[in-house]
């Protein structure tokens, strides 16, 4: 029989369909199942409009029949079927969508949810097939037709027999090559896996006959096993996210989460939402109970599973989540998405941005509700993912700081527990203009810092920052409600009253020569030596001036880069401490000894700050020298 030519530039276009558009060959099964679902949808829609009678939704199904001996894979449905003209039009013209034409003809753009849009999904089957045969009988017709093609050379259509309406597509699977294993598309376990992955929520049952075994009594009373075949429904059909919340129990959500996302623990929080309007979609999201082992690594990939009308489009769609909420796991299902021609990728359009914006607001509101009403649970969440929220404040030049600032927690020096920034501000003294914070490796270490003594003695609350990202986040926040964040290690705390300031200034002027001598003795290690307005019982501390703090220096210096960052260090001395009196007396009699004292005090201040002593051997010898 003479072959008919495709009604497009067939050889080039079909070659493009097979070799370029689709990333993974396994996608072909998703496409054929989606087409079968569309065919059933069409018939079901016609039954609702009285164009077809005697049709029940419960009778519809899709069937998969692998035959490893014949190397064929058949996908059949009992949907609307196709006439000869429709076979000619839909399969003989590449990139013509019969589904879209059906929607246009029936003016059903809103009422019926058709998956197929581009008319190219069918041709993905040529990626794994050397020949495709389609037998179809339209509903209400007495005659069936057989469409057959081996690819770009063309196709044939002849009349044939088919007992019932519907479509049967048979693929003759290619032989294996060194690069490709086509046998897997004939194996029931692989087909079951692909249906579960891509088409689990197709609304009609997808059936396949599978071989099973069961025990039986042998002739000697010993247990034997016999094989039998049983038809199995491979898909779930109704996704949990489309069910009403009132129908679902906590155990339903937990079971779905653990099965879908391979976690052995129940989620900490479930977020179930459905929206209509500008963006119509369903979403089911989860906050994990524990941090994934690779969460804070480069290997971790954020993103939600994306479905379009129940068909998996992307395993992880990163554009649906901001980085600050990358810990969220879940799915989004929408029929409004603009997909590219292969349905493997999204076009970046307004709908996607609208969905992402709605998700972001919902996640924020759910976390805020947890913070307000389930504080213990929120603190458990924050131990795992609080760092990510703080990173979110800092990155993007603070673009998300208003979104995240009221979700942050810091340990309080007065409350002895984590508090929010709003809670801190609510307790501030009437004349307090600054939100004080202190940085260190642990709460215990920070509590012993010399710089915290006077701040706490005057009754000010301090936020303890134990994470290396904390100060970067607070610096990016800048201020809240007109209250500026101020590190207790800053050189300009201005805590004393006017009389104390004048007294300190007087003492410093009197000791100016000593201060300059100490600075010179430290040979560029500090930018200044001055008397402190923050020390109480300790003799010395290090502070900084400028944009880079001591804590930021530690964090940045630990990064694997050649250029080391240093803060402008200031050595502060306590004029009320006996050590200062020793310095003044010794300066007038033994300046070489004062140089040693300067080095000793500087290294002492480094150790207090958790910074390394620059020359440990010299430091050790100096202590021995002074003691002897």
């Amino acid at each position: 029989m003479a072959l008919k030519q495709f009604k497009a530039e067939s050889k080039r276009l079909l070659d493009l369909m097979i070799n370029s558009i689709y990333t993974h060959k396994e996608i072909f099964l998703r496409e054929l199942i989606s087409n079968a679902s569309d065919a059933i949808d069409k018939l079901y829609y016609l039954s609702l409009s009285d164009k077809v009678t005697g049709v029940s939704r419960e009778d519809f199904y899709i069937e998969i029949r692998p035959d490893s001996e014949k190397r064929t894979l058949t996908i059949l449905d009992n949907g609307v079927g196709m006439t000869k003209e429709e076979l000619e039009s839909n399969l003989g013209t590449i990139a013509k969508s019969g589904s879209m034409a059906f929607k246009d003809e029936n003016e059903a753009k809103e009422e019926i949810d058709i998956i197929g849009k581009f008319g190219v999904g069918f041709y993905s089957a040529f990626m794994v097939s050397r020949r495709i045969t389609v037998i179809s009988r339209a509903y209400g017709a007495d005659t069936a037709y057989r469409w057959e093609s081996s690819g770009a050379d063309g196709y044939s259509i002849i009349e044939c027999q088919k007992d019932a309406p519907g479509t049967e597509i048979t693929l003759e699977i290619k032989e294996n090559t060194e690069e490709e294993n086509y046998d897997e598309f004939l194996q029931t376990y692989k087909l079951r896996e692909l249906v579960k992955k891509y088409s689990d929520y197709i609304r009609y049952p997808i059936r396949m006959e599978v071989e099973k075994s069961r025990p039986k009594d042998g002739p000697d009373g010993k247990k034997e096993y016999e094989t039998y075949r049983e038809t199995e429904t491979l898909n779930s059909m109704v996704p949990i996210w489309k069910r009403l919340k009132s129908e679902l129990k906590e155990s339903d959500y937990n079971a779905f989460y653990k099965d879908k996302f391979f976690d052995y623990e129940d989620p900490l929080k479930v977020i179930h939402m459905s929206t209509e309007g500008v963006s119509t979609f369903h979403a089911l999201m989860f906050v994990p109970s524990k941090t994934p082992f690779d969460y804070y690594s480069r290997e971790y990939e954020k993103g939600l599973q994306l479905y379009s009308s129940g068909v998996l489009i992307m395993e992880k769609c990163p554009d649906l989540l901001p980085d600050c909420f990358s810990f969220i796991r879940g799915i989004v299902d929408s029929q409004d998405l603009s997909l590219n021609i292969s349905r493997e990728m999204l076009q970046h359009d307004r709908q996607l941005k609208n969905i992402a914006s709605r998700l972001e607001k919902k996640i924020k509101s759910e976390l805020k509700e947890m913070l307000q009403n389930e504080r213990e649970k929120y603190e458990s969440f924050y131990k795992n993912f609080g760092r990510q929220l703080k990173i979110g404040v800092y990155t993007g030049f603070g673009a998300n700081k208003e979104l995240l600032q009221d979700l942050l927690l810091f340990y309080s020096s007065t409350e002895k527990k984590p508090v929010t920034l709003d809670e801190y501000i609510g307790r501030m003294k009437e004349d307090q203009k600054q939100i004080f914070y202190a940085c260190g490796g642990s709460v215990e270490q920070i509590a012993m810092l010399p710089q915290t003594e006077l701040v706490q003695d005057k009754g000010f609350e301090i936020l303890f920052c134990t994470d290396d990202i904390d100060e970067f986040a607070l610096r990016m926040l800048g201020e809240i409600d007109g209250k500026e964040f101020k590190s207790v290690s800053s050189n300009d705390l201005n805590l004393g009253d006017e009389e104390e300031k004048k007294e300190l200034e007087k003492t410093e002027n009197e000791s100016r020569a000593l201060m300059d001598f100490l600075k010179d003795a430290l040979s560029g290690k500090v930018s200044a030596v001055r008397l402190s307005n923050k020390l109480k019982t300790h003799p010395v501390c290090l502070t900084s001036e400028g944009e880079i703090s001591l804590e930021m220096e530690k964090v940045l210096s630990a990064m694997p880069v050649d250029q080391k960052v240093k803060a402008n260090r200031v050595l502060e001395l306590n004029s009320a401490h006996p050590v200062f009196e020793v310095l003044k007396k010794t300066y007038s009699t033994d300046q070489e000894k004062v140089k040693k004292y300067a080095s000793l005090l500087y290294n002492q201040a480094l150790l207090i700050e958790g910074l390394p002593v620059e020359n440990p051997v010299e430091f050790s010898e100096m202590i021995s020298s002074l003691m002897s």
Side-chain angles (χ1 to χ4, degrees):
M1 177 181 294
L3 293 177
K4 296 185 178 183
Q5 295 299 308
F6 288 109
K7 297 179 181 179
E9 291 184 338
S10 58
K11 292 188 178 180
R12 290 186 58 196
L13 191 52
L14 189 54
D15 182 69
L16 181 66
M17 300 296 157
I18 297 170
N19 299 313
S20 301
I21 289 181
Y22 294 93
T23 307
H24 305 292
K25 288 181 167 58
E26 65 186 30
I27 292 295
F28 83 92
L29 187 62
R30 180 194 73 180
E31 296 297 312
L32 295 184
I33 289 174
S34 296
N35 289 345
S37 176
D38 284 350
I40 297 173
D41 278 337
K42 294 172 190 176
L43 184 56
Y44 179 66
Y45 176 78
L46 293 174
S47 72
L48 297 178
S49 59
D50 296 327
K51 296 180 181 180
V52 170
T53 59
V55 173
S56 171
R57 185 163 190 161
E58 287 71 29
D59 297 331
F60 293 132
Y61 66 91
I62 299 167
E63 188 172 340
I64 300 174
R65 295 177 184 170
D67 188 327
S68 56
E69 292 184 4
K70 295 181 180 178
R71 294 193 68 78
T72 60
L73 177 65
T74 301
I75 296 91
L76 58 89
D77 66 75
N78 59 348
V80 71
M82 289 178 281
T83 64
K84 180 180 181 181
E85 290 74 19
E86 287 169 333
L87 279 170
E88 183 85 43
S89 175
N90 296 340
L91 303 188
T93 304
I94 300 173
K96 175 177 174 59
S97 171
S99 295
M100 289 300 290
F102 178 87
K103 290 180 73 172
D104 293 340
E105 291 168 7
N106 291 276
E107 298 180 350
K109 296 183 186 294
E110 300 298 330
E111 292 80 0
I112 185 168
D113 180 15
I114 293 292
I115 302 170
K117 295 180 181 180
F118 299 105
V120 302
F122 168 80
Y123 301 96
S124 66
F126 279 111
M127 291 190 295
V128 301
S129 311
R130 60 175 178 264
R131 178 181 295 272
I132 300 177
T133 301
V134 180
I135 296 175
S136 190
R137 175 180 158 187
Y139 189 89
D142 297 324
T143 305
Y145 291 90
R146 174 191 180 105
W147 181 98
E148 191 171 296
S149 175
S150 296
D153 290 339
Y155 63 93
S156 63
I157 298 180
I158 60 172
E159 186 176 321
C160 66
Q161 292 295 317
K162 192 176 187 304
D163 295 336
T167 299
E168 181 178 308
I169 301 173
T170 299
L171 315 181
E172 295 181 26
I173 302 299
K174 294 177 180 179
E175 298 291 341
N176 291 340
T177 66
E178 291 183 4
E179 294 81 20
E180 300 290 346
N181 176 24
Y182 293 104
D183 283 355
E184 64 180 350
F185 301 122
L186 297 168
Q187 296 167 348
T188 55
Y189 82 88
K190 182 64 175 180
L191 296 169
R192 184 190 289 112
E193 175 190 309
L194 293 179
V195 170
K196 200 72 178 173
K197 180 177 181 180
Y198 293 107
S199 307
D200 195 30
Y201 306 112
I202 291 290
R203 61 178 65 91
Y204 307 106
I206 302 171
R207 301 171 181 169
M208 181 170 63
E209 192 179 76
V210 297
E211 189 176 273
K212 296 186 176 183
S213 62
R214 59 191 169 198
K216 69 172 185 176
D217 293 330
D220 299 327
K222 294 181 179 180
K223 288 291 184 182
E224 295 182 351
Y225 289 87
E226 64 178 358
T227 60
Y228 67 101
R229 301 192 71 81
E230 181 179 280
T231 299
E232 182 180 298
T233 298
L234 306 179
N235 60 323
S236 304
M237 288 180 280
V238 180
I240 185 174
W241 57 81
K242 287 190 176 181
R243 294 167 60 185
L244 296 175
K245 294 181 185 179
S246 58
E247 298 176 355
L248 297 166
K249 301 177 182 177
E250 183 180 355
S251 58
D252 296 322
Y253 288 120
N254 292 345
F256 174 83
Y257 169 76
K258 288 191 281 192
D259 177 65
K260 195 73 172 175
F261 299 101
F262 309 107
D263 200 341
Y264 61 90
E265 291 196 33
D266 293 336
L268 188 69
K269 181 77 174 177
V270 177
I271 304 172
H272 190 174
M273 64 182 295
S274 298
T275 68
E276 294 183 355
V278 177
S279 299
T280 299
F281 66 92
H282 301 273
L284 182 55
M285 298 176 288
F286 303 90
V287 178
S289 295
K290 300 292 183 184
T291 312
F293 73 94
D294 62 342
Y295 183 66
Y296 290 110
S297 72
R298 291 184 178 181
E299 286 70 35
Y300 182 81
E301 293 182 69
K302 72 166 184 173
L304 301 177
Q305 290 187 358
L306 182 66
Y307 290 80
S308 178
S309 302
V311 177
L312 179 65
I313 302 302
M314 294 182 70
E315 189 70 42
K316 289 188 178 180
C317 180
D319 297 318
L320 289 172
L321 286 176
D323 286 344
C324 57
F325 294 150
S326 60
F327 49 83
I328 294 289
R329 290 172 166 173
I331 65 89
V332 170
D333 188 356
S334 174
Q335 65 190 58
D336 295 338
L337 298 172
S338 296
L339 307 177
N340 73 353
I341 196 169
S342 68
R343 284 199 293 226
E344 289 186 276
M345 295 170 57
L346 287 171
Q347 309 287 1
H348 295 273
D349 66 354
R350 184 172 54 87
Q351 288 292 348
L352 185 63
K353 292 178 181 177
N354 284 338
I355 293 174
S357 177
R358 297 288 293 274
L359 294 177
E360 180 183 283
K361 291 176 182 176
K362 181 65 173 177
I363 294 168
K364 164 65 184 293
S365 68
E366 291 287 333
L367 292 177
K368 189 71 180 291
E369 187 272 337
M370 193 199 310
L371 171 61
Q372 294 171 343
N373 302 322
E374 299 176 280
R375 185 59 171 257
E376 186 176 344
K377 181 185 284 190
Y378 186 83
E379 289 182 14
S380 174
F381 152 77
Y382 198 80
K383 285 180 182 178
N384 288 303
F385 302 109
R387 176 179 175 82
Q388 188 63 26
L389 300 183
K390 290 178 282 190
I391 292 173
V393 170
Y394 176 70
T395 55
F397 301 100
N400 287 319
K401 65 181 183 181
E402 292 183 5
L403 172 73
L404 301 171
Q405 65 186 23
D406 51 354
L407 296 176
L408 302 180
L409 294 178
F410 297 93
Y411 186 88
S412 164
S413 63
T414 58
E415 300 300 304
K416 309 301 180 186
K417 63 181 182 180
V419 300
T420 67
L421 297 176
D422 284 343
E423 289 166 346
Y424 179 102
I425 293 171
R427 290 190 293 269
M428 289 177 68
K429 292 187 173 185
E430 187 174 342
D431 58 344
Q432 184 179 345
K433 299 178 181 179
Q434 298 168 322
I435 301 173
F436 293 106
Y437 69 89
C439 301
S442 67
V443 168
E444 294 75 20
Q445 180 185 341
I446 295 173
M448 292 188 292
L449 286 175
Q451 297 93 319
T452 65
E453 277 190 315
L454 191 59
V455 178
Q456 294 188 80
D457 189 55
K458 291 185 175 291
F460 293 117
E461 184 176 358
I462 303 174
L463 299 177
F464 285 9
C465 300
T466 57
D467 203 339
D468 58 11
I469 190 64
D470 285 349
E471 187 166 25
F472 292 89
L474 294 180
R475 288 283 191 95
M476 187 57 68
L477 286 175
E479 55 86 23
I480 293 181
D481 295 340
K483 310 293 185 181
E484 178 190 9
F485 288 97
K486 179 67 69 173
S487 169
V488 297
S489 293
S490 297
N491 68 326
D492 55 346
L493 293 183
N494 298 318
L495 291 177
D497 55 31
E498 289 303 315
E499 186 176 337
E500 290 173 329
K501 290 178 182 177
K502 288 180 181 178
E503 184 64 28
L504 184 66
E505 185 177 349
K506 178 184 176 183
T507 305
E508 190 155 34
N509 288 334
E510 292 172 350
S511 307
R512 176 56 53 200
L514 173 60
M515 298 294 104
D516 292 341
F517 182 84
L518 292 171
K519 178 186 174 184
D520 293 339
L522 292 173
S523 60
K525 294 177 180 177
V526 295
S527 59
V529 177
R530 61 172 65 107
L531 296 184
S532 180
N533 63 355
K534 62 174 69 70
L535 292 175
K536 186 179 178 184
T537 63
H538 289 77
V540 67
C541 73
L542 270 183
T543 60
S544 63
E545 52 188 4
E547 291 300 314
I548 304 297
S549 69
L550 295 171
E551 187 65 22
M552 295 170 78
E553 175 190 317
K554 284 189 280 186
V555 175
L556 295 172
S557 295
M559 293 182 176
V561 293
D562 294 333
Q563 187 175 1
K564 297 300 180 183
V565 178
K566 277 203 170 187
N568 287 325
R569 300 174 178 183
V570 176
L571 186 68
E572 296 196 8
L573 300 174
N574 183 356
S575 61
H577 198 279
V579 164
F580 186 67
E581 290 301 317
V582 171
L583 282 173
K584 288 196 296 183
K585 290 179 181 178
T586 309
Y587 178 65
S588 61
T589 60
D590 189 348
Q591 292 189 354
E592 285 302 314
K593 198 170 190 178
V594 172
K595 288 182 181 180
K596 292 183 178 180
Y597 284 157
S599 179
L600 189 67
L601 288 170
Y602 175 69
N603 283 303
Q604 181 182 348
L606 287 177
L607 291 171
I608 291 172
E609 283 296 323
L611 292 165
V613 173
E614 295 170 3
N615 192 331
V617 174
E618 181 184 62
F619 179 57
S620 177
E621 290 176 349
M622 189 180 304
I623 293 175
S624 299
S625 172
L626 290 170
M627 290 180 68
S628 61

